Amino acid sequence: MEFREKPNTEVKKELPVVNLSEGIETSLIKELAFDMFKLARSLKERASVYDTIISDDASGRSVSLFLKEVFDGLRKKDGIPPIQIRFIASGRFISEDKTKNIKEYLGKNKNILGRALLVTEYIETGKSIAKVFEILNSLQIDYDLAALKVSSISGEEELRGEGLKGDLFF
């Protein structure tokens, strides 16, 4: 669209967004990007250690996919096949049925999971991710945990109390 003069507010409401930063809090995006790169940097030496990324909840998908891209690039340089990724639907309000389904799914795939990196976006209290720890521990799956953000009320000690057995990266 071409305009001879700057469109007024009413016209702007009718137009598709052409300026991608319009209406978006850019400081939030910068913070998210910084946190993702910080997490990737803390894990880059371990890219070849893991066989699988297990992505927890829908919110962890972006972080998991980003880490997969980083790991795959590093692994390719070393002649190692791409890391596999598995998505599980857990989250804050995980029901007994969901817990059972996740356990069955991971149990069926246990032999191909190898060493796993459990990835989530945010841990506040550690209560919801504890259900996933319980499942992984019961299946004797070797895993570490990576989170984009961990609340100050849920540090490593609290997560260990909830069942975390591997390393923690955030």
Side-chain angles (χ1 to χ4, degrees):
M1 282 187 159
E2 284 190 35
F3 295 99
R4 293 186 187 174
E5 58 189 59
K6 188 175 179 179
N8 65 33
T9 306
E10 289 303 314
V11 172
K12 281 184 179 180
K13 287 179 184 176
E14 301 295 321
L15 296 175
V17 176
V18 290
N19 178 356
L20 292 180
S21 66
E22 187 176 313
I24 297 175
E25 183 61 46
T26 55
S27 63
L28 181 64
I29 293 171
K30 287 178 185 175
E31 182 182 330
L32 178 63
F34 175 79
D35 290 340
M36 288 178 81
F37 280 103
K38 186 176 92 173
L39 182 60
R41 191 174 334 132
S42 71
L43 286 162
K44 75 178 186 177
E45 300 300 322
R46 299 179 130 212
S48 62
V49 170
Y50 302 108
D51 302 298
T52 306
I53 291 173
I54 299 174
S55 182
D56 165 54
D57 199 21
S59 67
R61 290 177 190 236
S62 297
V63 181
S64 299
L65 291 168
F66 173 75
L67 288 175
K68 179 178 176 21
E69 288 296 315
V70 170
F71 283 12
D72 286 352
L74 294 167
R75 292 163 72 100
K76 187 175 183 177
K77 288 179 187 176
D78 294 335
I80 302 170
I83 193 166
Q84 59 182 338
I85 190 165
R86 299 283 185 260
F87 298 98
I88 58 173
S90 60
R92 190 179 330 164
F93 304 108
I94 185 169
S95 67
E96 288 302 316
D97 282 345
K98 261 190 185 179
T99 302
K100 181 182 170 204
N101 291 338
I102 292 169
K103 188 171 183 176
E104 285 177 9
Y105 171 73
L106 293 176
K108 286 179 191 174
N109 292 290
K110 181 183 174 190
N111 293 334
I112 60 170
L113 293 177
R115 184 153 184 207
L117 179 65
L118 175 61
V119 178
T120 192
E121 181 184 20
Y122 180 70
I123 299 172
E124 185 170 0
T125 65
K127 299 292 182 204
S128 57
I129 197 78
K131 294 265 192 186
V132 181
F133 297 162
E134 184 180 316
I135 293 167
L136 295 172
N137 293 339
S138 73
L139 294 170
Q140 298 178 338
I141 294 172
D142 187 19
Y143 69 95
D144 292 332
L145 173 64
L148 200 57
K149 293 226 179 230
V150 177
S151 167
S152 60
I153 62 170
S154 182
E156 186 169 355
E157 186 177 324
E158 288 80 4
L159 292 170
R160 297 235 176 263
E162 293 292 346
L164 175 64
K165 294 193 187 277
D167 291 331
L168 170 64
F169 300 92
F170 64 95

